Amino acid sequence: MLSRPPTNLNVCAQQATVGLIKLVMNKLQITISELYVDALGPPAAYQKYLKECFPEIDKISVETKADAKYKIVGAASVAAKVTRDAWIDGWVWEEGRKGKVTGEEEAMEVDEEELSVPWSNQFGSGYPSDPKTKAWVESTLDPTFGYPSFSRFSWATIKVQLDKSAHKVQWIDDGHTIAKAFESIKPIDKGRCAVAKDLAMRSVGSL
């Protein structure tokens, strides 16, 4: 009930592409006359979408394997992968950090042990067939709390491991919708889930 709906990776990449173009055009004030983009899904639909977003760009070309056809797209692909690898190599854990205490932290007398995390930073390539990635997925799982925020929980590999090795959870309001929980019928608590009744939740007409 409280989970976030998963976002398709193609949609994430699409949003990032649009955001970068807007940054270049609006903040950096650079005029773009031609745009070459590697396809995400059907090229025609993606190209149409970008043309609707940026009608001021004279030429927008979206093609499959554009990184192999255009040198500038190939260079952008290399730059993106290098940037990604740098982010991963220097990842700072929300749950703490594994590594040496920085000078600033040393001045604040932060204990290195307090910053450490109990899992390895040997992630591998991120592909499920990679032995390092597979080992990380298996060894990092906490049966109660799952994985650190670094993980993508909508990834099927993570879901399978959670189903296989994590503690089973049964919600007491399974099968009830939010609308059902706040229904007002006579008698008022008939058919409502236990949580709504215990907390005396009532629907309101307006706020």
Side-chain angles (χ1 to χ4, degrees):
M1 185 170 69
L2 299 178
S3 62
R4 291 177 295 180
T7 302
N8 182 281
L9 279 182
N10 282 357
V11 173
C12 290
Q14 193 176 86
Q15 292 172 345
T17 299
V18 171
L20 284 170
I21 296 170
K22 288 181 177 179
L23 173 68
V24 170
M25 296 179 68
N26 300 334
K27 189 171 182 179
L28 302 181
Q29 297 293 305
I30 296 175
T31 301
I32 298 176
S33 58
E34 297 183 17
L35 184 66
Y36 298 89
V37 181
D38 203 1
L40 294 169
Y46 190 23
Q47 182 169 298
K48 181 176 180 291
Y49 170 73
L50 288 176
K51 284 184 175 180
E52 291 173 351
C53 291
F54 306 102
E56 65 272 39
I57 298 179
D58 297 332
K59 179 182 179 181
I60 297 179
S61 178
V62 178
E63 298 183 39
T64 303
K65 302 292 184 183
D67 55 341
K69 298 176 182 177
Y70 303 103
K71 291 182 179 179
I72 192 166
V73 182
S77 178
V78 171
K81 289 178 172 62
V82 170
T83 302
R84 177 201 61 193
D85 291 346
W87 271 94
I88 296 300
D89 289 343
W91 189 261
V92 177
W93 301 93
E94 287 185 29
E95 300 83 359
R97 181 171 66 260
K98 192 164 189 170
K100 295 182 178 180
V101 175
T102 65
E104 182 179 348
E105 290 159 349
E106 189 174 358
M108 295 171 61
E109 297 184 353
V110 176
D111 190 339
E112 182 175 348
E113 188 174 343
E114 293 178 2
L115 295 171
S116 65
V117 291
W119 47 80
S120 167
N121 60 355
Q122 298 300 313
F123 321 111
S125 63
Y127 292 102
S129 58
D130 186 329
K132 285 187 177 180
T133 300
K134 185 177 179 181
W136 189 88
V137 169
E138 291 176 350
S139 64
T140 303
L141 174 66
D142 183 287
T144 302
F145 299 106
Y147 289 95
S149 57
F150 175 81
S151 308
R152 181 166 63 89
F153 289 87
S154 59
W155 186 31
T157 304
I158 292 290
K159 288 183 176 181
V160 168
Q161 193 65 31
L162 285 168
D163 288 339
K164 176 183 175 183
S165 304
H167 294 315
K168 305 300 179 186
V169 177
Q170 182 176 1
W171 301 100
I172 61 174
D173 60 345
D174 272 352
H176 290 273
T177 64
I178 291 292
K180 182 72 176 176
F182 285 89
E183 274 184 353
S184 293
I185 55 178
K186 302 294 184 180
I188 197 165
D189 283 329
K190 181 180 179 181
R192 302 179 77 216
C193 68
V195 173
K197 289 188 286 187
D198 290 345
L199 297 179
M201 292 181 178
R202 297 290 181 266
S203 59
V204 295
S206 60
L207 295 176

